[in-house]
Amino acid sequence: MMVAGIGSRKGVSVEDVLAAIETALEAHGLAMTALSALATAALKKDEDAIAAAGGALNLPVIVVDDAALQAASPGTLSHSSLSQELAGTPSVSEASALAVAGAGAKLLGPRTVLGPVTCAIAISGDAP
């Protein structure tokens, strides 16, 4: 399973979200079709652009609860003071991706920042 974790400022556009996902995937030489799901933190559950991006890509958007976000936080590679303050994790995109990818998941690298959106790619522990 390959998951794109999404973090964003409020009020981003679906184009912003899709561009960040594409940029993150390209950084790892991957195509959009490699993704199994999008993930984000509970505090982003009402961010319409993230849901719209999932719809545009025909992928589920999985909202990660605070406990799962906290549990995945030690595996993050990036640190945002604002993310830590608002979400209780150093990186919403990285922790969300790790939480959804499951036990033994790993990030392919630090999050990609594209304007108001961050995207991190994680693969499940059973991925080749």
Side-chain angles (χ1 to χ4, degrees):
M1 171 180 238
M2 187 173 297
V3 179
I6 309 296
S8 72
R9 294 190 193 120
K10 286 185 180 178
V12 296
S13 70
V14 65
E15 292 81 11
D16 289 335
V17 176
L18 291 170
I21 295 168
E22 188 172 341
T23 300
L25 288 167
E26 285 176 355
H28 302 294
L30 299 166
M32 203 68 86
T33 54
L35 290 176
S36 308
L38 303 184
T40 197
L43 77 126
K44 293 289 168 193
K45 71 182 184 323
D46 295 324
E47 195 62 54
D48 292 338
I50 296 172
L57 298 172
N58 198 28
L59 291 171
V61 177
I62 300 167
V63 175
V64 178
D65 67 39
D66 291 341
L69 201 66
Q70 304 306 315
S73 290
T76 62
L77 302 173
S78 302
H79 183 86
S80 161
S81 298
L82 186 60
S83 177
Q84 187 69 56
E85 179 183 329
L86 296 177
T89 181
S91 172
V92 165
S93 56
E94 292 178 7
S96 297
L98 287 167
V100 171
K106 67 177 186 172
L107 293 166
L108 296 184
R111 69 182 181 206
T112 297
V113 180
L114 189 64
V117 181
T118 62
C119 180
I121 308 297
I123 57 171
S124 61
D126 58 7

